[in-house]
Amino acid sequence: MAATICLTNSGLIRSSRRLSSVVRRGAFQRRGVVAMAAKIDSHLHVWAPKEQADKFPYMDGSTEPPVPGHAEVLIEAMESAQVQGALIVQPSNHKFDHSYVTSVLQRYPGKFVGCLLANPDDSGVGVSAMEALVKEDGYSCVRFNPYIWPEGQQMTNEVGRALYSKAGELGVPVGFMAFKGLLLHIEEIETLIKEFPNTRVIIDHFGFCKCSDPDSESWKRLIALAQFPQVYVKVSAFFRVSEMEYPYLDARVCLRRLVDAFGAQRLMWGSDFPWITQQCGYVKSWEILQAGDEATGEKLLTDQETEWIFGKTIQTIFTKGWQ
């Protein structure tokens, strides 16, 4: 279901929701591109329920997940928000055991695309593991988490370069999670971007740049990545970068600057489920723009920009993902 933003007579911006017969039937257009009205979540996680911990163990040794995040909970949330598809990012609590996410991809064909977690072990086993997950299990993206690299090493080490290069060969984008701050990793990211220009890049969660200081060096370096046409940014997990409560009004100027720099065609919306359920909730995570427009009395994005960010951008990256 699409969210159509319009001005009422009172001058406030409100949301008018209409469900087309195409989306109601769950039908998708041919050639792997979903109907224009579809909303696609670019960033979320799923993990096994505690009842299945024996079959799908948690790598941190715990016996239950931090919050409910199994597929059935996600499907219910997506239906409530009229979200038609999503990119599932391998969660850290299952680490390199992709069996649960793989089972979800297999149970819901055409609804989800998988993003695997790169294994940067010195042995180099991660390269063959990544290739197998892509070719055999259908994963379409790989996440680089710099905090699981061997101590004292960077993502630009020999293994990192091999993983990044192979991702380009396989045609899968690399997503970067700069959880502790973009400036800690921007040199590594830029090095890989320049050395392997054929590998697409996705920066997670606004690059974890804090919206309280939109003129910071972090924001300048993130904006500067717009010069590389293969770089995309997820405008996701607003609660991680905003210093304000919902609807995260301090993020509006940052979002607008990203649109002006990258274009809406290189930005994509994401919820960061299930962590978002502990914040504003899944449905409201798709109403941030609308709520901000109403609070400020100003429309931040055009309808066309919103359409790209809510679904069309990610469909151009993963053209065979949602059918």
Side-chain angles (χ1 to χ4, degrees):
M1 185 184 299
T4 304
I5 303 174
C6 59
L7 284 173
T8 66
N9 291 334
S10 65
L12 294 178
I13 300 170
R14 302 190 183 280
S15 174
S16 173
R17 298 188 179 275
R18 295 181 175 87
L19 184 64
S20 70
S21 60
V22 172
V23 176
R24 187 182 300 114
R25 292 193 303 270
F28 293 86
Q29 292 180 341
R30 299 175 63 185
R31 295 186 298 277
V33 179
V34 298
M36 289 180 66
K39 294 190 294 188
I40 308 296
D41 194 330
S42 74
H43 195 105
L44 51 76
H45 309 279
V46 291
W47 45 66
K50 62 181 179 180
E51 294 80 10
Q52 297 182 5
D54 290 340
K55 183 178 180 181
F56 304 108
Y58 310 116
M59 296 296 103
D60 58 5
S62 62
T63 57
E64 60 181 271
V67 296
H70 50 282
E72 291 69 27
V73 176
L74 170 61
I75 293 293
E76 182 177 355
M78 290 174 65
E79 289 177 349
S80 297
Q82 292 84 45
V83 174
Q84 285 73 44
L87 176 67
I88 298 178
V89 180
Q90 171 72 5
S92 59
N93 56 355
H94 284 307
K95 208 167 184 181
F96 306 125
D97 182 351
H98 291 75
S99 56
Y100 182 72
V101 171
T102 300
S103 73
V104 174
L105 298 178
Q106 293 172 346
R107 274 188 287 152
Y108 299 97
K111 195 170 189 68
F112 298 115
V113 167
C115 176
L116 66 96
L117 179 62
N119 182 351
D121 187 81
D122 283 332
S123 66
V125 66
V127 176
S128 58
M130 176 177 65
E131 186 168 12
L133 285 166
V134 171
K135 292 184 175 181
E136 298 173 17
D137 295 318
Y139 283 76
S140 301
C141 188
V142 56
R143 188 180 218 192
F144 273 34
N145 179 347
Y147 311 107
I148 60 175
W149 248 251
E151 186 175 359
Q153 298 192 41
Q154 296 186 329
M155 294 182 288
T156 49
N157 67 358
E158 182 178 354
V159 170
R161 280 180 158 86
L163 285 164
Y164 194 90
S165 175
K166 176 59 70 172
E169 292 177 20
L170 294 171
V172 297
V174 172
F176 287 102
M177 186 189 76
F179 185 76
K180 296 181 181 180
L182 183 64
L183 291 184
L184 294 176
H185 310 290
I186 189 62
E187 299 296 339
E188 302 163 68
I189 293 171
E190 288 183 348
T191 296
L192 292 170
I193 288 173
K194 294 174 182 177
E195 189 169 333
F196 304 98
N198 292 328
T199 303
R200 278 179 166 175
V201 172
I202 300 174
I203 305 296
D204 290 349
H205 305 330
F206 293 89
F208 289 88
C209 300
K210 298 301 182 182
C211 294
S212 57
D213 187 6
D215 296 317
S216 68
E217 185 63 20
S218 293
W219 276 105
K220 292 176 182 177
R221 298 297 292 271
L222 177 61
I223 294 295
L225 292 179
Q227 67 183 292
F228 303 107
Q230 72 270 36
V231 177
Y232 298 75
V233 178
K234 290 181 182 178
V235 289
S236 52
F238 280 68
F239 65 92
R240 295 193 183 278
V241 297
S242 174
E243 299 295 328
M244 300 178 70
E245 297 296 321
Y246 182 90
Y248 316 117
L249 295 181
D250 58 344
R252 288 172 67 83
V253 64
C254 300
L255 176 54
R256 185 66 252 176
R257 289 182 182 181
L258 286 173
V259 173
D260 292 341
F262 286 85
Q265 295 85 350
R266 290 163 64 192
L267 304 177
M268 51 194 122
W269 198 268
S271 66
D272 202 16
F273 174 93
W275 302 114
I276 192 64
T277 62
Q278 296 182 309
Q279 303 296 324
C280 65
Y282 190 78
V283 172
K284 290 179 71 175
S285 75
W286 285 92
E287 298 172 348
I288 292 171
L289 278 179
Q290 170 197 338
D293 288 349
E294 292 179 351
T296 62
E298 296 180 356
K299 187 172 182 176
L300 182 66
L301 303 179
T302 67
D303 292 344
Q304 291 76 20
E305 288 169 340
T306 301
E307 187 175 71
W308 274 100
I309 294 171
F310 272 19
K312 288 180 67 176
T313 295
I314 194 168
Q315 294 171 56
T316 65
I317 299 174
F318 305 106
T319 56
K320 298 180 180 180
W322 295 277
Q323 301 178 13

